[in-house]
Amino acid sequence: MTTITYQPTDQMPAADQPAARTQNDTLKALPTTLKSEWIKLSTIRSNTAILALTIALNGVVSWAIANFVTDEGELFVDKVFAFSTLFTAVFAAVAGILIFSSEAQHGTLGPTLTARPARLAIATAKTITAAAFGAVLGAAGLAAGLAGASASDIETGDTSSILGTSLWAVLFVSLASVLGLGIGMIARHSTAAISGLLVWWLVVESLLYAFLDQRLSRLLPFVAGNGLLPLDDPAASTETLSATLSNAENALVFGGYATLALAVGTVLLCRRDNN
């Protein structure tokens, strides 16, 4: 009778090697995962198209508002240049959705998770990528809006407020991209996620804002997000103005929704199968 003894090889885990990934493993995987996400972001044509459309639309809309809108009182560049940031936020949210849902929908997410099973590192890298791309979209759109508004005949206004307005607007766009990423991680289907987001943003919230008490409607996600932009309503009542949140409060409300969506999406990513 022959006894065969198996010798340990390099492919076999050591006896004291932990079965589960540690936090250090996740941190070590993050730089490589970030590089991978950047390569995907910079090589997908839709992202380039979104950036180009953002620049063109912001420039044209700001110029058109400055030249053709005459029923809003006197207009100034320091306000007009940020009006179209609302469109930029929509583009950023759609881009955030596509960062995840395009991989899940076209079957490339499974191989990614198989090759790099540190899922928390993947979620973190995608979050950083979405926030950074949103910030780039916001800054590029504001620059184009400033150029478009400056090309008109309206007065410049208070130039000292441009920097502060720009920072709040960029924050809004960046958080919108992160919110889109969270929604994409939850839905995993581009069309469903984008349709649901736009219907809620452009239809449902408009109805809720019209019928809810101002103290409640100000806590809606995109009402709070829009509050970060200089979209003053001259017809607003005293009650509406008194219920208006500050920029910091609006950022906390909108950022809370983005964080919640991202947290739910991350949990689902860590629990779902590779496919």
Side-chain angles (χ1 to χ4, degrees), residues 248-272:
E249 292 170 333
N250 283 319
L252 286 174
V253 172
F254 189 62
Y257 283 105
T259 302
L260 177 61
L262 185 63
V264 173
T266 301
V267 170
L268 293 176
L269 173 65
C270 293
R271 290 180 177 272
R272 281 169 170 166

Side-chain angles (χ1 to χ4, degrees), residues 40 99-114 126 274:
K40 285 184 283 189
I99 285 176
F100 186 89
S101 64
S102 59
E103 286 194 69
Q105 191 172 344
H106 295 292
T108 59
L109 181 62
T112 299
L113 295 178
T114 302
K126 287 186 178 295
N274 285 355

Side-chain angles (χ1 to χ4, degrees), residues 117-268:
R119 301 190 181 197
L120 188 58
I122 293 176
T124 303
K126 287 186 178 295
T127 301
I128 295 173
T129 301
F133 187 55
V136 169
L137 287 178
L142 287 168
L146 184 61
S150 300
S152 63
D153 295 329
I154 63 175
E155 298 293 331
T156 303
D158 182 13
T159 56
S160 63
S161 67
I162 291 179
L163 178 59
T165 300
S166 299
L167 292 177
W168 287 115
V170 168
L171 177 62
F172 173 41
V173 177
S174 184
L175 289 175
S177 183
V178 173
L179 176 63
L181 173 63
I183 294 173
M185 293 171 74
I186 295 170
R188 286 197 166 202
H189 193 281
S190 301
T191 303
I194 293 172
S195 299
L197 174 73
L198 295 180
V199 168
W200 175 269
W201 193 337
L202 304 177
V203 180
V204 177
E205 275 207 10
S206 298
L207 295 175
L208 292 177
Y209 183 76
F211 293 106
L212 287 179
D213 183 271
Q214 294 295 326
R215 290 170 295 180
L216 295 177
S217 63
R218 65 183 180 177
L219 300 178
L220 294 170
F222 296 107
V223 171
N226 294 343
L228 295 171
L229 304 178
L231 305 176
D232 299 330
D233 184 4
S237 63
T238 304
E239 180 183 359
T240 299
L241 294 175
S242 63
T244 302
L245 298 176
S246 66
N247 282 342
E249 292 170 333
N250 283 319
L252 286 174
V253 172
F254 189 62
Y257 283 105
T259 302
L260 177 61
L262 185 63
V264 173
T266 301
V267 170
L268 293 176

